[in-house]
Amino acid sequence: MPLTDQQLRQELLNYGETVPPITQRNREQLRARLEQLRSRTRSPTKSSPSRTRANISTTTHSRPKHGLIELSDSETDTSSAEYSTLRRPGRETHIQTRSIAVGRDSDRSNTLPISTVAVDVEQSIARHRREIQQLIDSARDRTRAASANMSSEQYEPSKTITSTRPNSMTSSRYTPSIKTDLKKMIKQPSWFNRLRQTIELFWKTNKNVITDVLKALFVGLILACGLIVLKNKLGDIIPRHKGITCTPDNATDCDDMIPIINSLRKHLQIRLGEVECRFRPKNERHVTKPEINKYLDDKGFKFESNSEERWKTLITYILDKPVDDILVLNNQNEQVQDINSAHKLAATEGIHSLLCRTRRSVNSVMQHLAWLVLGTTGLLALVWFIKRRSKQNEESENTYKNFIEKITNLLENQYEEHLHNPEVKPWLAISHIRDMLIPVQDRKRLKNLWERAKKQISEHESRIRAESQLIHGEEFEVWRWIQPRSSNPSPTRQQRTESPHNSNEESYVYMPPDVGLTECLKLRNFFDPNGVADDDEIDLVVDSIQNRCATVKRIEHIGIHSIFVYLKFSSKEAAAQGFHLLNNWKYHGRQIIAKYLRLERYHEHFPEALESSST
């Protein structure tokens, strides 16, 4: 029965062995060591019993100098039960360990020389150093693998076999606790922390020196600024006491006039800039003679002669040099070239202050922005107006076409209604059509469209004729539908037309029928052109015509001349009805052809028809 880990440890301790933590890797070696110790104990020795007992006693109570030293990379110790379940039957377990085993051979003596012990100690120290270095290298390899996202793969550190003694192979593995300790040991501060520590150390060491240098630089900067200001304003602070000796005769050759002209030019440019920026009124654009003399006195430009000589010298220099950016003016602000007429000076270009330039820039930006907004607004308004106008024109065109279509449909429907009911009025008043199509509130707005549609119908529509009719004693303009129709007219499309803007209001107006051109018709193909018609045939034709036109009011006269039949109706409307009934009519296999005949022509053939019309 195999021993448990605890029993195995106790047995080895009884033999005086140093027992490391028992793991899967060293369990078999420890069991083999125990068997070796047991076999040595059972084997006979040549020494005396007392010596054997002394050795046993020594082995039992004293710790030997040499034993099994082992490092394992197992993370946890495993009991014998766990080990028995983990081991697969029929498969040999390969245990890789690195150890320095110093066997207790019975042949070797119990004591070694001092030099041998020292060598063993040095080798042990060197071996431990190599093992620690290998652990550090393995920890670095694992850190690099983790940074490269290789944590999913199992990492196995490289195995380095170092021969310390003949026939002895060793390998190193490490536990997680050792790896964590090594990471803590090799962790270095970041570059930022190192830089901060360096700066803090430098500041603590040289704090006083740095403060003194900064103070000296600040004081030197103040002194330099003061010297620059003092140099520029020296003439203003310390006025000149020595008089200027320039005269009108040597003004152009006198060097003392140069600073005077420069100072005066700057003063005139500043004045012009203030006027342009509206800090001064426009009438102060030109500087007068008293103002210039006062300015020169304030600046310390005093001549040995009087102020009048200074003025003449100044004007002479400006005109003779010449100074192009300074204008010499008279009292009327006109440029002159005469010294005696000069009373004012002015600059050609102004110097603007920072406030002036800022305000001018803001005004310019605002002006451009205003123009931009105005232009954008105008463009948008123009686009909106064009779109609105286009939409209005489209609506107007649709309304105009709708008027034409509705008027045509009204007249055409009235024509068909009149064919079926002769009592229906054959015409339609134009004003009443307008009232039907356009509501009262829209008549003013749609007046132009109505007039356009009215003109189109009256002048360019060949199917409709405009004429005048009496309605209740008053004369109105009406429209009639006059397009010829076939003998089989289409059924009535609309029996009654209601007002488009009031569906509840009944209208008495119907579509007008076709109106004949005259009251007379001429008919062909009733008789055979090659034969002579007798009375019976003529009576049959007359009866057939009367039966065919029984619904027409009315036929006033029927005449036969040669092979043609002539009809006279009571009105043009009746003639139109007869035309549509008789034209293209099939009579005994022959197609009857009808056409209108002028009334005068009819009376030439049949004078007796005049009496029928009178009756």
Side-chain angles (χ1 to χ4, degrees), residues 29 36 49 56 79 85 89 144 184 223 273 282 295 309 315 321 374 403 411 416 460 505 543 557 609:
Q29 291 184 356
Q36 184 180 3
I56 295 172
S79 63
T85 58
R144 293 171 182 172
K184 292 181 180 179
L223 292 176
K282 291 184 179 181
Y295 172 76
E309 289 294 326
I315 299 301
K321 191 65 180 177
L374 184 62
F403 282 166
L411 296 175
E416 295 180 355
H460 303 286
E505 180 183 356
D543 293 339
H557 182 268

Side-chain angles (χ1 to χ4, degrees), residues 10-27:
Q10 187 64 36
E11 289 291 337
L12 291 173
L13 291 175
N14 292 337
Y15 283 102
E17 295 291 333
T18 302
V19 183
I22 301 175
T23 62
Q24 294 180 4
R25 302 181 183 279
N26 63 357
R27 185 179 285 110

